[in-house]
Amino acid sequence: MARGGMASVYEATDIRLDRTVAVKVMHPGLGDDEEFAARFVREARAAARLSHPNVVAVHDQGADDGVVFLAMELVPGHTLRDVIAKESPMPPARALALLEPVLSALAAAHRAGLVHRDVKPENVLIATDPDTGTSRVKVADFGLAKAVSADTQHTATGGVLIGTVSYLAPELVVDGRADARADVYAAGVLLFELLTGRKPHEGESPIQVAYKHVHEDVPLPSTLVPGLPAYVDALVARATARDRGQRAADAGVLLHQLRRVATAVTTGVREDPDLVADLMPRPPAPDTDPVTGVTGSGDTSEHTQLLRTAEVPPAVQRAERPGQPGRPDQPGRTDTAADPWDEDEMAALLAPSTAAITAGPAAPEPTRTVPVGATPAPRRTRRSRRGLLALVLALLLATGIGAGAWWFGVARWTTTPGVLGLDRAAAVERLEAAGLEAEIGPRAFSRTVPAGEVMSTDPAPGDRVLDGGTVTVTISKGEELYDVPKLRGMTEDEAQDALAELKLEFGGSTQRWSEDVPQGVVLASDPKPGTTLRPGSVVDLVVSKGRKPIKVKDWTGEDADTARQRLEAQGLVVEVTGEEHSDEVAEGDVISQDPVGATLFKGDTVELVVSLGPELVPVPNVRASGVDAAREELEALGFEVETRKAAGYLGLGYVFSQDPGSGEMVPKGTTITLTLI
């Protein structure tokens, strides 16, 4: 279990779908207000619409006796806070790699119109796959801060600051309004902390920290970790600019900027003035606070100083400061940048060269006649004239080189505007308004960008592009989805090929008996035909095992009616082919069966012969007959004979009575008892 400022999280089991989930239960009291509960439901539904590999999925939401809760994907592992505690300060490549999936998740949310509002290390979960050893980074708690803070002030003086104060954007502190750029600010603070191991603003109370967010720039990371490339400083400065107009428009733009910096880091680039100039925020107007607009604050931040150096091409810098110590054009001059050439001096230097260019080649200097007794006027040496001309030419050359460098390096380039998420017409209009041409490229599928909206541009938003150049726009075709085809009647191999053509994965097959589908042919699929799936989704097959064999029991000597019921229940057809008398098999039992001990299939026939019991014979009348004659007659009919003497036996040897009596029908072999007199 874990406990936070707004909720507690429990590991639980979803008994309906038999899966382990994380249940976030809001603290008692937050759900008492019906309006809050409704707002919580709306935000939960918005978060549930996010489908991104770096976003913790929201499975369900509900309320129980005023306590609202969310059922979410369980991400076993640790948080980014644990990584910061163990690894920070960390190399730029590691920090950028950790932040990239966070920005990818935020970019998906921003495209969907959802602002996180509480980006912090505790909301970044990291799980390690035990099989591959790779880490999965997921961002949690989308929309919760908005649900809690909809009716709460966000000022630093009255109200509650929702979200961790160390990551709050200045505008959230000042007026409580937040858009995607507030998440950009928090991500920039997160990058600062990864690089340095410290939060940029610290204080004895949250109010002090909030005050610093409003009135102080986030320091450059290199002030705490010397040796970081300037373009890494510039990326942090751009993301954490107090003026939100200076920040990336959303996480998607910041993600492109981060990838440019990551490429420079991984390729070992130590200095890239163009990248620094592109990323570093422009300084605000003099004596104007970037957030509050109050005059008198000045601008002596490290961001401004770095920008002043980075955005001026080196050749232009040299042309602007001709008197730096050790310059070859004026050895020995000790002027600094604070003491440039004044305007009169510059005009005087440029005038002769201009005249020379206008007049063409200089005419030969005429011979001057000096009157006798007059003192000749002092004459400039050719060396001083040549030195001055050389200086002017050097200045012109430096200025030309600087202007050329400025033109080819900066002036003819512009920044690609952000058009992600716009429809085609709006994107073309914005690009053309920026002086660029829009070219519509082939459409592509996207799981996060709705159909008809811009999913990417080349160059990417925030990247440099020639002024008047072409930006290729890729329009989303929406999510790539396929319907499960009808697979019944195909062989298993044919069904697998049909799934592969639709980019669906064959999961496995189960075997089932079928009386009408041959063995090896598909009976059904799971999901069923017509179900819409994403590429890579798994489809299972049910394949026929053919007809189910039926083992037939031997029912000989058992009740024929019971045998009929059991055989018909197995799907067999029972026919009684005859009835016969039997002295051994009781009436109604099975005398014989065909087939016996065989394996049949549903619909096959089993033949039975049923016993009528023993054959009945009438008992003849043998009274008054001699005992020998009576015995002979009865035994000839198959009876057994037994004699006994009557009471008052006289010894005559005649039958006095018989049992069974004359005319009774009895089976052969029945014993007839004769009474003699």
Side-chain angles (χ1 to χ4, degrees):
M1 187 190 92
R3 183 176 180 86
M6 294 185 297
S8 297
V9 181
Y10 302 88
E11 182 178 340
T13 300
D14 184 345
I15 59 176
R16 291 181 301 175
L17 299 178
D18 191 24
R19 61 182 173 186
T20 304
V21 297
V23 177
K24 180 179 285 288
V25 180
M26 305 303 290
H27 291 331
L30 286 177
D32 294 342
D33 182 5
E34 292 184 0
E35 184 177 352
F36 166 79
R39 188 166 62 248
F40 180 86
V41 169
R42 289 195 301 271
E43 292 304 319
R45 288 176 177 171
R49 287 198 300 269
L50 283 179
S51 178
H52 191 275
N54 298 119
V55 174
V56 175
V58 175
H59 298 317
D60 199 0
Q61 60 79 29
D64 183 15
D65 195 20
V67 177
V68 291
F69 64 87
L70 283 178
M72 305 179 299
E73 173 189 4
L74 179 65
V75 183
H78 53 278
T79 68
L80 189 59
R81 173 65 65 202
D82 301 317
V83 176
I84 292 174
K86 293 179 181 178
E87 300 184 28
S88 291
M90 61 182 65
R94 170 66 169 159
L96 296 172
L98 284 171
L99 189 62
E100 182 174 0
V102 176
L103 292 180
S104 181
L106 292 174
H110 293 169
R111 286 193 294 268
L114 187 62
V115 180
H116 192 290
R117 290 177 174 241
D118 194 17
V119 177
K120 58 184 178 181
E122 288 76 10
N123 281 337
V124 179
L125 309 181
I126 303 176
T128 302
D129 191 320
D131 297 327
T132 63
T134 57
S135 296
R136 295 179 295 117
V137 178
K138 288 180 176 283
V139 181
D141 282 2
F142 277 92
L144 290 188
K146 182 177 181 181
V148 173
S149 61
D151 297 327
T152 306
Q153 290 181 318
H154 285 273
T155 64
T157 57
V160 179
L161 289 170
I162 299 300
T164 304
V165 69
S166 295
Y167 307 91
L168 282 182
E171 62 268 20
L172 266 173
V173 179
V174 173
D175 56 21
R177 292 180 299 171
D179 57 15
R181 291 170 292 186
D183 287 349
V184 169
Y185 184 90
V189 174
L190 203 59
L191 179 57
F192 179 92
E193 193 171 357
L194 291 169
L195 292 168
T196 66
R198 293 174 50 185
K199 297 182 177 66
H201 297 312
E202 296 179 347
E204 296 180 358
S205 68
I207 298 301
Q208 291 181 354
V209 177
Y211 181 89
K212 290 184 178 181
H213 278 292
V214 175
H215 296 289
E216 297 179 13
D217 286 333
V218 170
L220 298 177
S222 62
T223 60
L224 298 178
V225 183
L228 289 177
Y231 50 79
V232 174
D233 280 345
L235 178 64
V236 174
R238 184 66 167 268
T240 59
R242 285 183 286 155
D243 178 4
R244 58 182 169 185
Q246 299 266 23
R247 297 179 215 144
D250 56 32
V253 177
L254 181 59
L255 179 60
H256 286 292
Q257 295 171 348
L258 178 142
R259 286 171 176 165
R260 291 181 63 192
V261 171
T263 300
V265 169
T266 54
T267 54
V269 176
R270 290 300 307 164
E271 296 182 3
D272 190 337
D274 290 340
L275 180 56
V276 174
D278 284 348
L279 293 180
M280 184 62 66
R282 299 296 179 257
D287 297 332
T288 302
D289 186 274
V291 178
T292 64
V294 177
T295 60
S297 61
D299 184 16
T300 59
S301 68
E302 296 167 285
H303 301 180
T304 305
Q305 298 301 326
L306 181 59
L307 174 65
R308 287 172 178 165
T309 303
E311 65 183 355
V312 181
V316 178
Q317 294 176 34
R318 289 193 295 270
E320 289 177 347
R321 298 193 297 273
Q324 286 184 350
R327 284 187 52 85
D329 54 357
Q330 282 193 315
R333 181 177 176 92
T334 58
D335 296 349
T336 65
D339 181 22
W341 295 92
D342 59 49
E343 295 180 2
D344 294 338
E345 186 178 4
M346 184 65 71
L349 289 172
L350 292 177
S353 62
T354 304
I357 294 172
T358 304
E365 184 178 347
T367 304
R368 292 184 296 173
T369 303
V370 181
V372 178
T375 303
R379 187 177 178 182
R380 289 186 179 181
T381 65
R382 185 178 299 274
R383 182 182 300 275
S384 63
R385 284 190 175 183
R386 288 180 177 176
L388 182 60
L389 181 60
L391 174 61
V392 172
L393 291 176
L395 287 172
L396 289 174
L397 180 61
T399 303
I401 293 175
W406 174 77
W407 168 253
F408 286 100
V410 177
R412 66 178 186 145
W413 295 88
T414 185
T415 301
T416 306
V419 296
L420 302 182
L422 300 181
D423 59 28
R424 173 174 176 166
V428 171
E429 181 180 357
R430 179 174 292 185
L431 290 171
E432 291 178 347
L436 301 170
E437 292 187 9
E439 179 179 299
I440 306 301
R443 290 177 172 250
F445 290 108
S446 173
R447 294 179 60 180
T448 56
V449 181
E453 294 184 3
V454 177
M455 60 181 291
S456 66
T457 60
D458 183 20
D463 285 357
R464 295 203 307 165
V465 62
L466 286 173
D467 196 4
T470 300
V471 176
T472 302
V473 178
T474 301
I475 307 295
S476 171
K477 294 167 64 176
E479 188 170 6
E480 187 175 8
L481 299 172
Y482 297 97
D483 290 341
V484 177
K486 182 180 179 181
L487 303 174
R488 182 181 174 89
M490 297 183 181
T491 65
E492 187 172 358
D493 289 341
E494 291 172 343
Q496 292 184 27
D497 292 341
L499 293 174
E501 290 179 2
L502 297 179
K503 300 182 181 180
L504 299 175
E505 295 289 338
F506 167 66
S509 62
T510 56
Q511 306 291 317
R512 195 172 71 190
W513 302 110
S514 175
E515 297 301 320
D516 53 0
V517 177
Q519 182 178 359
V521 176
V522 175
L523 294 170
S525 64
D526 181 23
K528 63 183 180 181
T531 303
T532 302
L533 300 176
R534 294 172 177 166
S537 297
V538 174
V539 177
D540 296 324
L541 301 177
V542 180
V543 180
S544 173
K545 295 168 63 176
R547 301 183 69 188
K548 183 178 181 179
I550 302 172
K551 184 70 175 177
V552 180
K553 176 184 174 180
D554 184 2
W555 290 93
T556 301
E558 299 190 39
D559 182 69
D561 290 337
T562 301
R564 178 190 295 273
Q565 292 175 2
R566 297 288 179 84
L567 292 171
E568 289 179 347
Q570 290 180 287
L572 299 172
V573 176
V574 179
E575 289 185 3
V576 176
T577 57
E579 295 179 331
E580 299 177 1
H581 291 285
S582 173
D583 295 335
E584 291 80 18
V585 180
E587 181 180 2
D589 290 348
V590 176
I591 295 176
S592 63
Q593 168 185 318
D594 184 30
V596 177
T599 298
L600 303 180
F601 298 96
K602 189 175 182 179
D604 288 351
T605 300
V606 177
E607 297 178 348
L608 301 178
V609 176
V610 181
S611 171
L612 293 175
E615 183 179 1
L616 299 180
V617 179
V619 178
N621 184 11
V622 293
R623 290 181 65 188
S625 300
V627 62
D628 293 333
R631 181 188 298 276
E632 182 178 354
E633 182 180 355
L634 292 172
E635 288 179 349
L637 293 175
F639 296 113
E640 296 290 333
V641 178
E642 186 178 291
T643 61
R644 65 182 181 181
K645 295 177 181 179
Y649 176 68
L650 300 177
L652 299 178
Y654 287 93
V655 177
F656 176 74
S657 63
Q658 64 183 60
D659 183 28
S662 171
E664 291 187 32
M665 302 294 293
V666 296
K668 287 183 178 181
T670 301
T671 299
I672 307 298
T673 302
L674 302 178
T675 303
L676 304 179
I677 189 172

